[in-house]
Amino acid sequence: MGIFAAMSILTRILGLGTKPSAETNEKRGQYVAPSRFAAYLGLGTKAGVSVSEEGSMALSAVYSCVRLIASSMAALDLHLHRVNGSQREIAQDHSIYQLVNSTPSESMTAFDFWELIISDALLHGKGFALIERGVATGRPVQLHLLTADKMKQHLHNGQVTYTHQDMEDHIFPEDLLIIRCFRGISPIRQHMEGIGLAMAAQEFASRYYGSGGNVGGVLSTDRSLTNEQYERLRQSWQQTHGGLGNAHEVAILEHGLKYEPMKVSMAESEYIKVRVHGAQEVARIFQVPGSMIGLESNVSYNGAEHQDLQYVKHTLLPWCRRIEDEISAKLLREGERGQIIPRFDLNSLLRADTASRSEFYTSALHSGWLSINEVRAKEELNPIGSSGDLHLVQVNQLPVSSIQGYADSLTNNPET
């Protein structure tokens, strides 16, 4: 039995998406699939569960991916580089340096700010922050996070604007720091059916163990039951035999009732495969290696290092470029762009083990393209003084014809 066929059967057995009705005998226990319109609005899926942006965080794979990306980005150092010809220095004296690195607003740290705005972008497609500018200078003085689920986009007098549920006025894009996901569309909405399938598998597990570990069965009789009898029998059976505490209780049947268990076991339903498949789908959606959210436990050291590199290159780097471009466009003046360049420092994520770093630094020092102080700075150590700024080159390879002359110069031979 295939994964999707198994989930289709389980959905009907467990009544996911079913709303019992006592109005007519024909509607008892009937499976009611959500409408296409409801699925489009995020109210339901073909798997029979509702999927929303915030509600999807109840799925561990979604929570892990969103938390991982948002926290990884928030933990990176974000520097402003001042470019002067071929020279480049960190512009700590710039007015927005503390804004993006330390205190975006009076009530929020930089880490919390970037973690929340990026997680909003991952869930809703866009993350928003209102730019408060100084009255006299016009420079940004604070960044106020706006919850994405309360934002709406409009076309106002031929121009795109935004409104917030708790604010009356239209907000123009130049007054908003907008962090966009791919195409500015919510990945949760784009992949609602796949995420809904994973959530249905999770709900199945809860119902399975909540009913004592039994998939379910059928009570049958030759008699026709009234709606009142039907409902009383259903409630009585659930109270007596439902839940883990009532597992393996003896059933006493009356009025010719017969109990027939369903012939669908956990192995036949491929339940575990469904859950793993759902988690893999989520990891693919967010471009996160499976080992980083606990999907793979037998990854070798080399394999993990390769996955880390892929994660930085293909997942984090695009987010870095989006945010850097948005900072340049919204927080810097026109004349500063190109001279002040925001850059996330990804070196901390790309650092190898101690032995590999030592080999790398040794090669860089011997080749002369790094000084001792530059190496110490990369290891977050203090400089050793002006002598540590010298770039050194080893001279240990000479043409054979020059060896004698070089030896004479070292021994101060007067004949040379």
Side-chain angles (χ1 to χ4, degrees):
M1 183 183 296
I3 292 176
F4 295 99
M7 282 305 303
S8 178
I9 293 174
L10 295 174
T11 299
R12 286 159 173 79
I13 292 172
L14 295 173
L16 298 179
T18 302
K19 186 177 181 179
S21 173
E23 294 179 1
T24 62
N25 292 339
E26 289 77 6
K27 291 185 178 181
R28 294 174 185 160
Q30 178 181 336
Y31 173 73
V32 181
S35 66
R36 292 183 180 180
F37 181 69
Y40 176 77
L41 293 177
L43 303 177
T45 63
K46 294 182 179 67
V49 295
S50 297
V51 177
S52 65
E53 287 84 351
E54 295 296 334
S56 66
M57 291 282 278
L59 194 65
S60 62
V62 173
Y63 178 90
S64 297
C65 289
V66 172
R67 182 203 59 78
L68 178 65
I69 297 174
S71 298
S72 297
M73 290 297 302
L76 293 176
D77 291 327
L78 176 55
H79 296 304
L80 296 178
H81 295 272
R82 181 180 285 113
V83 179
N84 183 13
S86 60
Q87 300 296 316
R88 177 177 295 202
E89 62 178 1
I90 296 178
Q92 294 187 0
D93 58 339
H94 196 279
S95 60
I96 72 164
Y97 188 88
Q98 296 299 323
L99 204 63
V100 298
N101 272 285
S102 179
T103 51
S105 67
E106 296 175 353
S107 60
M108 189 170 290
T109 65
F111 185 94
D112 290 337
F113 174 82
W114 290 116
E115 189 176 50
L116 287 170
I117 196 171
I118 292 171
S119 63
D120 269 357
L122 286 163
L123 292 172
H124 299 274
K126 296 186 184 75
F128 299 90
L130 180 66
I131 304 172
E132 180 185 343
R133 302 183 187 274
V135 177
T137 63
R139 285 192 176 276
V141 293
Q142 289 197 80
L143 299 174
H144 302 282
L145 191 69
L146 300 176
T147 49
D149 57 346
K150 294 183 178 181
M151 297 291 293
K152 289 186 178 180
Q153 183 176 320
H154 306 271
L155 190 62
H156 183 67
N157 296 330
Q159 184 175 357
V160 174
T161 62
Y162 294 88
T163 57
H164 189 269
Q165 182 177 319
D166 300 329
M167 302 171 67
E168 296 182 358
D169 298 332
H170 285 261
I171 310 173
F172 293 97
E174 55 265 29
D175 295 322
L176 286 171
L177 192 71
I178 305 175
I179 307 303
R180 292 176 173 82
C181 193
F182 177 64
R183 300 184 67 186
I185 301 174
S186 166
I188 306 301
R189 290 293 180 97
Q190 285 284 83
H191 301 275
M192 184 180 299
E193 291 298 335
I195 294 173
L197 179 63
M199 294 181 72
Q202 181 168 279
E203 185 169 348
F204 162 71
S206 300
R207 293 188 180 221
Y208 179 86
Y209 290 108
S211 62
N214 295 313
V215 174
V218 175
L219 287 175
S220 63
T221 179
D222 295 335
R223 298 175 54 187
S224 177
L225 301 178
T226 65
N227 292 332
E228 183 179 352
Q229 290 173 328
Y230 172 86
E231 188 63 24
R232 181 179 65 83
L233 178 61
R234 187 186 65 81
Q235 293 180 2
S236 174
W237 183 270
Q238 180 63 26
Q239 291 173 2
T240 306
H241 303 286
L244 289 174
N246 296 324
H248 311 298
E249 288 286 338
V250 177
I252 301 176
L253 305 179
E254 56 182 338
H255 301 297
L257 288 172
K258 296 180 180 179
Y259 176 74
E260 298 178 10
M262 298 297 294
K263 302 299 183 182
V264 180
S265 66
M266 288 290 278
E268 291 171 337
S269 67
E270 301 186 26
Y271 160 72
I272 295 177
K273 289 184 179 180
V274 172
R275 295 212 67 183
V276 172
H277 172 78
Q280 290 172 338
E281 282 288 293
V282 172
R284 271 193 292 270
I285 292 169
F286 289 101
Q287 288 291 291
V288 171
S291 63
M292 291 189 171
I293 61 171
L295 281 178
E296 303 170 24
S297 58
N298 57 345
V299 180
S300 65
Y301 177 81
N302 290 335
E305 189 175 21
H306 177 72
Q307 288 192 359
D308 289 345
L309 181 60
Q310 293 293 100
Y311 172 65
V312 172
K313 289 174 59 178
H314 300 297
T315 305
L316 296 187
L317 186 58
W319 281 103
C320 291
R321 292 295 177 260
R322 290 190 192 105
I323 296 172
E324 291 163 0
D325 290 346
E326 186 70 4
I327 290 174
S328 295
K330 303 290 182 64
L331 302 185
L332 295 177
R333 292 179 174 177
E334 186 175 353
E336 294 177 328
R337 295 166 196 161
Q339 298 178 2
I340 302 294
I341 302 175
R343 282 289 181 269
F344 281 97
D345 185 6
L346 292 169
N347 288 330
S348 59
L349 297 180
L350 296 173
R351 291 177 66 175
D353 58 87
T354 304
S356 298
R357 295 205 313 276
S358 176
E359 183 180 350
F360 167 76
Y361 291 144
T362 300
S363 175
L365 288 170
H366 289 176
S367 301
W369 60 275
L370 277 182
S371 68
I372 294 176
N373 281 345
E374 288 172 334
V375 170
R376 292 179 64 85
K378 289 182 178 295
E379 291 294 308
E380 299 181 352
L381 298 173
N382 293 326
I384 60 174
S386 58
S387 60
D389 294 325
L390 297 175
H391 290 257
L392 309 175
V393 179
Q394 286 192 341
V395 183
N396 56 3
Q397 289 187 338
L398 295 172
V400 175
S401 59
S402 302
I403 289 180
Q404 184 60 50
Y406 179 68
D408 292 339
S409 67
L410 292 179
T411 57
N412 294 320
N413 191 329
E415 297 180 1
T416 60

